[in-house]
Amino acid sequence: MKNLLRKYGHVWTFGYAFIYLPWFFYLERTVTHGYAVMHVSLDDVIPFNEYFIVPYLLWFLYVAGTMLYFFFTSKQDYYRVCTFLFTGMTISLLICTFFPNGTDLRPVVDPEKNFCSWLVSILHKADTSTNVFPSIHAYNSLGIHFAIMNSRALKDKKLIRWGSFGLMIAICLSTMFLKQHSVVDVVGALILAYVMYPLVYGFNDAAERKAARQKALG
C-alpha cells in the first residue's frame, strides 16, 4: 500500500471534481434568466450540423484518456496538464459566477431525423445553454493537445500528435456547428489558453533548457 501511495500519490488531484462539479451544477440551476447572451453575426453564418456531435462527444474520451495515460506514465506531465486544465476551469467558473452568460443559438432538433440528431436532442436535455463563456470544451481540448505535444514520451509519435491536432480542431469546431457555443466562447477559450500556456509550460521548459546547458558545460 505504501508503494502504491508513493507511486500514485498524485491521485489527490481527483479531489478537484468535488470543487468543480458542485459549483458547475449550482450555476446550471441558478443561471436561468437575465444573463448576457453570447451571440455575434459570425454565429449566424455557421450552419448547424448534427454530425459534429461525434467529435463533440469524443471530447470526453480525449480528455479522460489522455489524463489517465499521463497519470500512469508521467507524474510531471500529469501535474502540468492538471494545472493547465483545472486553473482554466476555475477561471471559467469564476467568470460565469460574476458574469452570468448563455447563448440563444440552439435550433429545434428533430430526434427522429437520424442517430446524430437523436444524440443532439439528448445533449440538449442534459446540458443547458448557459455558462458557456469561455468554452471549456475548447479550452480543455487545447490543454490536452498541448500536453501531448510537450510530452517527451510522445515526441516521436507523429500519428498520435497529428491525430490529437485533428481531433482538437474538430472538437473546437463542433461546439460552434452544434450551436452549443458562440464564436465568442471559443475565442475566449483561445485567449485563456494563450495566457495559461507560458505559465504552465514556458517557464518549465526554459528552466529545463538552462539545466541541460549547464550539464553540457559540466
Side-chain angles (χ1 to χ4, degrees), residues 92-112:
S92 176
L93 290 178
L94 286 170
I95 291 173
C96 291
T97 299
F98 296 104
F99 177 63
N101 56 78
T103 67
D104 59 356
L105 301 171
R106 288 183 178 180
V108 176
V109 178
D110 179 7
E112 298 183 0

Side-chain angles (χ1 to χ4, degrees), residues 86-162:
F86 296 171
T87 302
M89 291 161 70
T90 302
I91 291 173
S92 176
L93 290 178
L94 286 170
I95 291 173
C96 291
T97 299
F98 296 104
F99 177 63
N101 56 78
T103 67
D104 59 356
L105 301 171
R106 288 183 178 180
V108 176
V109 178
D110 179 7
E112 298 183 0
K113 179 183 178 183
N114 54 46
F115 181 65
C116 287
S117 293
W118 177 77
L119 287 176
V120 173
S121 69
I122 297 298
L123 174 64
H124 286 180
K125 291 178 182 178
D127 186 29
T128 71
S129 59
T130 58
N131 309 306
V132 295
F133 178 86
S135 168
I136 288 299
H137 240 69
Y139 177 83
N140 281 6
S141 297
L142 288 161
I144 290 298
H145 180 61
F146 293 156
I148 290 173
M149 295 302 291
N150 281 278
S151 168
R152 290 183 177 179
L154 300 177
K155 181 180 179 181
D156 298 320
K157 308 295 184 181
K158 292 184 178 180
L159 183 61
I160 293 176
R161 290 158 67 92
W162 278 106

